[in-house]
Amino acid sequence: MTALPADGLGLPFLEGVALHPVRNVAKMSAGHALDDMDRKPWLHTLADRIRESAESGRGLVVACSTLKRRYRDELRSAATEVGCLYLAVNRDIVRGRVAGRAGHFMPAGLVDAQFDEPGAAGAGRARRHHRRHGGPPGHPLAGP
């Protein structure tokens, strides 16, 4: 599901969770949710990858759980043409998919923490977001 926008846009795809530092992976593997300080180096790494991609003119689609608006703002500040798409998915569906992943470090027990994070895009409400900041000429996200 997360790679579909990249495929449709003809852009490289990056699974953001793969960029978590070893310390974060260990913490989540032990069943503990990350806090803002844990996420800080991860967000910097994601922003660096977005910036590098923009500077090279290649484009990139990144899938990640940027739960708080300030996290998304940090990623948006990495380049001038960054869009965010929020996928509204039922918590039980996500929990089932996470539980069904073989060999992944995040246990299904952390799904609720993702949904309940204060300030999360979907916390306590159903919303869909799609921000357009443009794209290369002819690109589906390019403005009129």
Side-chain angles (χ1 to χ4, degrees):
M1 174 71 188
T2 56
L4 288 176
D7 291 343
L9 297 171
L11 294 172
F13 174 73
L14 174 64
E15 181 60 66
V17 73
L19 297 179
H20 272 292
V22 173
R23 179 176 173 265
N24 288 5
V25 172
K27 186 171 182 177
M28 287 185 279
S29 295
H32 303 288
L34 300 179
D35 59 28
D36 288 345
M37 290 304 292
D38 296 322
R39 290 186 184 101
K40 191 173 185 173
W42 174 69
L43 288 167
H44 287 304
T45 300
L46 287 173
D48 287 344
R49 293 291 289 273
I50 291 168
R51 188 176 303 103
E52 291 165 5
S53 179
E55 288 171 354
S56 72
R58 288 179 301 196
L60 179 68
V61 173
V62 179
C64 58
S65 295
T66 50
L67 303 173
K68 296 180 181 179
R69 177 180 210 94
R70 71 176 175 267
Y71 300 166
R72 296 184 297 277
D73 289 345
E74 181 170 343
L75 298 182
R76 285 186 195 108
S77 73
T80 57
E81 296 177 350
V82 175
C84 293
L85 176 66
Y86 173 70
L87 299 177
V89 182
N90 178 285
R91 170 186 314 232
D92 293 329
I93 291 171
V94 173
R95 194 180 298 112
R97 288 183 180 174
V98 170
R101 293 189 295 198
H104 196 274
F105 60 83
M106 184 179 150
L110 289 180
V111 169
D112 286 337
Q114 296 268 310
F115 277 85
D116 296 336
E117 177 76 27
R125 59 199 176 280
R127 295 188 340 185
R128 286 180 49 203
H129 295 279
H130 180 207
R131 287 189 51 166
R132 284 176 50 165
H133 288 284
H139 188 280
L141 295 180

